[in-house]
Amino acid sequence: MNTTYVDKPYKRVLLKLSGEALMGDMDYGIDANVVETIAAEIAEVIKEGIEIAVVVGAGNIFRGIKGSAAGMDRATADYIGMIATVMNAMTLQDSLERMGVPTRVQTAIAMQEVAEPYIRRRAIRHLEKNRVVIFGAGSGNPFFTTDTTAALRAAEINAEVVFKATKVDGVYDSDPKINPNAKRFRTLTYGYVLQHDLKVMDSTAIALCKDNNIPIMVFDLSVPGNIKRALMGESIGTIVGESCDVS
């Protein structure tokens, strides 16, 4: 697959949303207006016939690694974080369905009263029927991030690309908030990201995408319309892929 910018709509994609993205300017929790905005953009893209799966994080509610740093057992902290992702997934589902977009939440930890269990073939069937599928509870395993979950689910459902929606407009060689001369990359290789420890996704997620030749696009979620622009193939943000140049 050509991992340069395609400048045409994708068919099936995986959208990774951080928990922090859902809290907007709040210090904690879920900003309903932000969720509504994200849902509205997804609803627009669904009308174009693009199949969308979503993985949500939980940094707005609970982050396992911080719980571990505070003395909590790491596995226990990670499970709490997984449960928090389901809260975010259900919130996004509610917004989407109020806009008339059929949506299914699938969880890696059984919660049959509120969501379906993750079943790969069922998830693919939902996508084929133009339903948005939101994957909650991470991978169901502690010590793995939701970035890794995004890479894993993308490979399982045969997604063409992983979109990572963040608070910055791409990948930089240093923190642009600290260094005003930081360089933003347009394209990168997986190897360059791993070698230079660029904070695109964690190394396990990058390796999974590399092994399965799934490009990653990092873009700014806060710009209105960017979700649609990215999923329709516009050249925004930074793309990481095997055949990309470092530029």
Side-chain angles (χ1 to χ4, degrees):
M1 174 179 176
N2 184 1
T3 53
T4 55
Y5 287 108
V6 294
D7 290 319
K8 65 179 181 180
Y10 293 92
K11 174 60 179 174
R12 179 179 296 167
V13 304
L14 190 294
L15 175 64
K16 169 60 169 59
L17 298 173
S18 67
E20 289 89 342
L22 301 183
M23 65 184 182
D25 295 326
M26 299 167 57
D27 295 325
Y28 175 85
I30 301 170
D31 185 325
N33 291 327
V34 170
V35 177
E36 290 284 324
T37 299
I38 293 171
E41 291 199 38
I42 293 174
E44 281 191 54
V45 176
I46 281 290
K47 293 176 183 177
E48 302 292 337
I50 299 174
E51 299 171 4
I52 305 175
V54 183
V55 169
V56 289
N60 57 322
I61 300 172
F62 189 90
R63 188 178 283 278
I65 198 165
K66 288 188 176 180
S68 176
M72 183 179 289
D73 174 76
R74 174 61 190 272
T76 299
D78 281 353
Y79 279 119
I80 294 171
M82 290 179 219
I83 294 169
T85 69
V86 180
M87 297 168 64
N88 285 336
M90 292 175 65
T91 301
L92 180 59
Q93 178 187 37
D94 178 74
S95 289
L96 285 165
E97 294 201 329
R98 282 189 282 108
M99 294 177 185
V101 179
T103 309
R104 299 291 186 273
V105 173
Q106 291 196 343
T107 61
I109 298 174
M111 300 183 187
Q112 61 266 28
E113 285 79 13
V114 296
E116 297 179 1
Y118 171 66
I119 299 173
R120 175 179 174 270
R121 288 182 179 272
R122 181 179 291 176
I124 291 172
R125 186 61 178 148
H126 287 320
L127 293 169
E128 290 171 345
K129 290 185 175 181
N130 213 32
R131 298 167 181 157
V132 174
V133 180
I134 307 172
F135 298 118
S139 67
N141 301 293
F143 304 102
F144 290 92
T145 67
T146 49
D147 278 351
T148 297
T149 301
L152 175 64
R153 296 289 184 251
E156 289 182 297
I157 66 171
N158 302 314
E160 294 174 83
V161 60
V162 172
F163 288 101
K164 182 168 182 181
T166 70
K167 292 185 176 182
V168 293
D169 60 349
V171 181
Y172 287 78
D173 60 358
S174 59
D175 190 339
K177 294 180 181 178
I178 299 173
N179 178 14
N181 297 315
K183 174 189 174 183
R184 183 172 73 85
F185 295 100
R186 182 175 181 271
T187 58
L188 286 167
T189 63
Y190 305 111
Y192 190 93
V193 170
L194 292 170
Q195 181 182 352
H196 293 82
D197 194 27
L198 299 180
K199 305 302 180 183
V200 179
M201 303 172 94
D202 65 82
S203 59
T204 305
I206 296 294
L208 264 172
C209 286
K210 181 179 186 297
D211 290 345
N212 292 281
N213 196 25
I214 303 171
I216 305 160
M217 182 184 282
V218 181
F219 70 95
D220 188 352
L221 179 67
S222 65
V223 177
N226 258 5
I227 291 178
K228 183 174 182 179
R229 292 187 190 99
L231 273 62
M232 293 297 290
E234 290 191 28
S235 302
I236 63 173
T238 301
I239 194 162
V240 182
E242 191 60 54
S243 63
C244 291
D245 297 322
V246 177
S247 64

